[in-house]
Each structure stands twice: as C-alpha cells, then as structure tokens.
Amino acid sequence: MTNGLLGKKLGMTQVFDQNRLTPVTVIEAGPCRVVTVKTKERDGYEAVQLSFGEVKECKLSKAELGHLKKSQSPASRVLREFKKDGAPEVGQSVTVDIFKKGDWVDVIGVSKGKGFQGVVRRHHYAGGPESHGSMFHRHPGSIGASSYPSRVWKGKELPGHMGAERITTQRLKVVESRPDEHLLFVRGAIPGAANGIVVIRKSKKS
C-alpha cells in the first residue's frame, strides 16, 4: 500500500552471525495509520499520508485534531506522505512487515544539533601554529581580497550553526525484521539521536 513508514530510533547494538559481527541500528517502525489517500483527480498527485506516535489531544491544535478526526484517527505526533503502492484505504494499519530481511532501505532523519561551531570542527580546517607567538590557532584566516570584490564571496566556509539538518542515509540493508515487536534492525548508523523520528522507505538504489 505504501513504500515506507515512520519510526523512532531506539539506539545501536550488534548482531552476531556465523561469519562476523554486524553493527545495527534498532528502529521502532510503526504501526502507522493511513490518515488520507491523495488522488490525482482531487489533489493533483497520488500519495498516502501516515500518522505515527499517539499523543494527548491537548498537545495538538484544533486544525490538526479536525484533520485526524475526519478519518477517525487518534491524536498523533507526526504526519508524513509516502508514495502510493496498490489500493490503500483510510484507517488501514501499516506495520514493519512491509520490509523483509535482506531488503535495502533509505532512512531519513534530523542529525544531532551541535550549536555554533568554528571552522576547525565545522569544515575540518587544519588551523595554524599552536606556539605562543602565533596568534592564529583555530581562526579561519583571510576571508577575501581587499579592493576587489570588496565583499566576502557567497558560499565561503565560515563559523556558524552546525547539525540539526535533514539527512538521508541511502541503501542500508535490513538485517532483521520483527513484526510482533514492531522492530527493524538495519545495518550501520542512521541520522539523529535516540528517540528521534525517522522515515524508512524502500531504497531508490536497490
């Protein structure tokens, strides 16, 4: 009915098999509820809107509650749209069993925020000498010419806010799927901190 679902990153662990140890990320994937089915005639495109993470009604606005109550869906924290596959119906539940062991998935999340950082950490500058007379150390150094262009070129690597960005990690292998526990084990690391919301979808590069 859809090519993906929503989940929550629980953390990392490792799985042993006969040949090697594999680092995996554990995701609580679903269950998600179909809130809206977008159609080409009505909306101009086809998609499936899923909800995830039930919350108290007082945590949502009246507009959000009204939208969910149209489909008799419970108050949910997150709504996302996915590619339509088949003939989904409003109210249906999407679970982790849409992914099998050996499948390839893309995982989208928001990376950890690191606040304001300098050029050494943000852009991997080497910095200057660390001796007492240098006065260079971790500074960015020259940022442009003087008379021309009399400004800093756009795109110059400078200190600034780092992290808290939407990141897609592509082509991760599903090591294990546990539909009874709503758990998905994918090989390697995914963006974001523990308990962060992630989007899992079938890989575009599989």
Side-chain angles (χ1 to χ4, degrees), residues 1-3 34 36-50 80-88:
M1 67 180 71
T2 177
N3 72 331
V34 177
T36 307
V37 178
K38 306 272 184 164
T39 61
K40 214 160 195 177
E41 296 76 22
R42 185 186 64 199
D43 304 291
Y45 66 101
E46 291 188 343
V48 178
Q49 188 182 67
L50 302 182
R80 292 289 186 276
E81 290 185 2
F82 292 86
K83 185 178 179 181
K84 182 181 175 183
D85 187 9

Side-chain angles (χ1 to χ4, degrees), residues 73-186:
S73 301
S76 303
R77 181 181 170 194
V78 188
L79 295 175
R80 292 289 186 276
E81 290 185 2
F82 292 86
K83 185 178 179 181
K84 182 181 175 183
D85 187 9
E89 295 181 2
V90 172
Q92 278 186 327
S93 182
V94 184
T95 60
V96 73
D97 58 7
I98 65 171
F99 299 115
K100 307 295 182 186
K101 181 178 179 180
D103 288 351
W104 298 94
V105 295
D106 297 337
V107 180
I108 305 169
V110 177
S111 63
K112 291 182 180 179
K114 297 177 173 62
F116 190 97
Q117 297 297 332
V119 291
V120 172
R121 185 171 186 193
R122 191 180 186 210
H123 300 296
H124 311 293
Y125 278 28
E130 295 295 337
S131 58
H132 289 285
S134 167
M135 301 180 72
F136 183 175
H137 305 311
R138 298 171 69 90
H139 291 190
S142 174
I143 61 173
S146 176
S147 60
Y148 179 82
S150 297
R151 61 184 173 84
V152 178
W153 291 105
K154 284 185 178 181
K156 174 63 183 168
E157 296 175 343
L158 291 172
H161 185 268
M162 182 178 176
E165 296 177 329
R166 177 187 164 103
I167 293 177
T168 302
T169 304
Q170 293 186 312
R171 210 166 185 271
L172 297 174
K173 192 171 186 178
V174 175
V175 175
E176 189 176 347
S177 176
R178 297 183 186 174
D180 295 339
E181 302 175 62
H182 306 297
L183 294 180
L184 191 69
F185 293 72
V186 296

Side-chain angles (χ1 to χ4, degrees), residues 190-202:
I190 65 174
N195 296 320
I197 299 297
V198 295
V199 173
I200 312 111
R201 69 185 183 198
K202 293 176 183 177

